[in-house]
C-alpha cells in the first residue's frame, strides 16, 4: 500500500510573502500618484534652465549639490541673464526714437550718415556672430537693433521728402544682407567686416556728436534710446568675453560704450536746449 505525501509550504511563509507583495503594491501606488507631476515639473524647469541660463554641470552644482557660491557657474548665469535681458530690452530700445520721429513728423538733428555707419557696425556683429555660431544670447539684440535702425534710416529720408530714396535704401540693404548671410560670402570677408566695426562706430558717433554740437541741441534724438544703448553696450563687454571669449567682439563693445557715452553726455548737456528756441534766437 502506497502513501502519497504532499508537500505544502508553511503557512507563515505564505503570509509573509503576501504581506511583502501588499507593501510593494502600496509603495508603488504612492510613487505613481506623486511622481508624475513632480518629476514633470522638475524636468521642465531643468530643461528651461539648462537651455537658456546654465550648462548641466552648473544645474547639478546649484540644485543637487546646493552649492550656490560656485564662482564660474555664477559668472555663466549672470552672463546668460544679462544677455537675455539685453535682447529683451533691444526689442524696444529704439522704439522711443521711432515714436518721437513719427510724432514730430521730423528727423531734425539726426544724421543719416551716422545711422548708416551704425547700421554697418550692427550688421557686421550680427553676420560675424551667426557665421561663428555664437549663442543667440551673445548677439541677439543685433537683430532687433538692425530692424529698428533700418526703420529710422527710412524715416529720416521720408521726413526729408525723399521717400523714394528711403525705399531704395531698404531694397539695397536687405539685398546685401542676404548675400552676406549666404555661403557665397567667405568667412574672411565677414571677419574683415567685423574688424571694420570699430572705425565705423567711432566715425558714426562722432558725426552725430558734431551734428549735436553745431546745432546746439540734440533735436529729435531720444534720451531713453541713447541711455539704453549706452547701458547695453557696457553690459555686452562682460557677456561677450564670458560667452564667446572673442576679443574682437569685446573690443568692439568697449569702443561702442565709449562713443555712446559721449552722446549720452551731450543729451545731458543739451537737456534744456530745444530746436524751436534755437531757431527763435537765430532769427532775432
Amino acid at each position: 500500500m502506497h502513501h502519497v505525501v504532499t508537500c505544502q509550504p508553511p503557512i507563515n511563509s505564505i503570509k509573509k510573502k503576501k504581506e511583502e507583495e501588499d507593501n510593494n503594491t502600496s509603495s508603488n501606488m504612492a510613487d505613481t500618484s506623486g511622481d508624475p507631476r513632480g518629476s514633470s515639473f522638475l524636468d521642465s524647469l531643468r530643461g528651461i534652465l539648462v537651455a537658456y541660463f546654465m550648462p548641466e554641470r552648473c544645474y547639478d552644482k546649484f540644485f543637487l549639490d546646493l552649492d550656490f557660491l560656485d564662482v564660474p557657474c555664477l559668472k555663466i548665469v549672470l552672463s546668460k541673464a544679462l544677455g537675455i535681458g539685453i535682447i529683451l530690452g533691444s526689442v524696444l530700445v529704439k522704439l522711443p526714437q521711432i515714436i518721437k520721429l513719427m510724432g514730430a513728423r521730423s528727423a531734425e538733428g539726426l544724421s543719416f550718415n551716422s545711422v548708416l555707419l551704425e547700421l554697418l557696425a550692427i550688421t557686421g556683429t550680427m553676420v560675424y556672430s551667426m557665421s561663428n555660431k555664437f549663442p543667440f544670447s551673445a548677439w541677439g539684440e543685433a537683430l532687433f537693433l538692425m530692424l529698428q535702425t533700418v526703420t529710422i534710416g527710412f524715416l529720416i529720408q521720408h521726413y526729408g521728402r525723399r521717400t523714394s530714396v528711403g525705399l531704395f535704401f531698404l531694397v539695397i540693404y536687405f539685398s546685401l544682407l542676404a548675400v552676406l548671410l549666404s555661403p557665397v560670402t567667405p568667412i574672411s570677408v565677414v571677419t574683415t567686416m567685423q574688424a571694420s566695426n570699430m572705425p565705423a562706430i567711432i566715425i558714426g558717433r562722432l558725426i552725430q556728436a558734431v551734428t549735436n554740437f553745431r546745432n546746439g541741441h540734440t533735436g529729435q534724438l531720444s534720451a531713453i534710446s541713447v541711455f539704453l544703448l549706452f547701458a547695453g553696450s557696457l553690459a555686452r563687454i562682460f557677456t561677450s568675453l564670458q560667452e564667446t571669449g572673442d576679443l574682437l567682439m569685446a573690443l568692439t563693445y568697449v569702443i561702442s560704450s565709449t562713443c555712446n557715452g559721449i552722446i549720452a553726455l551731450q543729451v545731458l548737456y543739451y537737456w534744456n536746449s530745444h530746436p524751436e528756441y534755437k531757431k527763435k534766437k537765430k532769427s532775432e
Side-chain angles (χ1 to χ4, degrees), residues 247-259:
L247 293 177
L248 185 58
M249 275 193 75
L251 186 57
T252 300
Y253 285 117
V254 169
I255 299 296
S256 179
S257 298
T258 304
C259 295

Side-chain angles (χ1 to χ4, degrees), residues 52-117:
Y52 298 104
F53 290 99
M54 64 187 74
E56 199 164 343
R57 62 182 177 81
C58 289
Y59 179 90
D60 292 342
K61 275 277 184 186
F62 290 150
F63 297 99
L64 298 183
D65 301 338
L66 299 179
D67 181 7
F68 297 105
L69 298 176
D70 186 81
V71 175
C73 285
L74 285 174
K75 282 183 178 180
I76 292 170
V77 172
L78 177 61
S79 177
K80 291 282 186 183
L82 276 173
I84 291 171
I86 292 168
I87 292 170
L88 292 175
S90 71
V91 176
L92 303 174
V93 71
K94 290 197 172 188
L95 193 60
Q97 180 67 79
I98 293 169
I99 292 170
K100 192 170 183 179
L101 288 174
M102 294 178 73
R105 301 188 68 81
S106 166
E108 184 178 3
L110 271 74
S111 166
F112 183 70
N113 290 333
S114 176
V115 170
L116 279 180
L117 287 167

Side-chain angles (χ1 to χ4, degrees), residues 176-218:
L176 287 173
L177 181 61
V179 172
L180 287 170
L181 290 173
S182 70
V184 176
T185 306
I187 191 67
S188 57
V189 173
V190 174
T191 305
T192 303
M193 190 175 177
Q194 174 66 11
S196 70
N197 277 357
M198 284 174 273
I201 292 168
I202 293 169
I203 295 168
R205 295 285 87 184
L206 284 178
I207 289 172
Q208 184 62 61
V210 169
T211 301
N212 294 339
F213 178 75
R214 285 178 177 171
N215 291 339
H217 59 77
T218 54

